[in-house]
Amino acid sequence: IAAISFSIYLTHKGMVRMTHSLLDPLALDENLLLVICILTSIAGAYLLYRFVEQPFMKLRKKLIPA
């Protein structure tokens, strides 16, 4: 989770709002909804990290050698 912590910070609010609005009509228990929101936030953050942050970090290493 440490590697994707910044991605979680960036995506959590949008993911929670989207998940909540999609699942609101189902009238789920609040605790279950919280767990689902946490899991979707982590999943969204992982996707952002994997497909956006990592490619840019590789590009940075090519453009700015250490």
Side-chain angles (χ1 to χ4, degrees), residues 16-37:
V16 168
R17 285 183 184 249
M18 182 176 60
T19 303
H20 196 275
S21 68
L22 289 172
L23 297 179
D24 206 26
L26 299 177
L28 296 174
D29 178 57
E30 292 295 319
N31 293 325
L32 178 60
L33 188 59
L34 175 64
V35 170
I36 293 170
C37 286

Side-chain angles (χ1 to χ4, degrees), residues 9-20:
Y9 168 74
L10 290 176
T11 61
H12 79 280
K13 193 170 187 175
M15 294 300 289
V16 168
R17 285 183 184 249
M18 182 176 60
T19 303
H20 196 275

Side-chain angles (χ1 to χ4, degrees), residues 31-61:
N31 293 325
L32 178 60
L33 188 59
L34 175 64
V35 170
I36 293 170
C37 286
I38 290 170
L39 293 175
T40 58
S41 294
I42 292 172
Y46 173 76
L47 292 173
L48 178 69
Y49 177 75
R50 174 69 178 89
F51 296 109
V52 177
E53 287 187 47
Q54 281 186 337
F56 275 100
M57 287 189 279
K58 289 178 185 176
L59 179 63
R60 181 187 66 190
K61 286 181 183 179

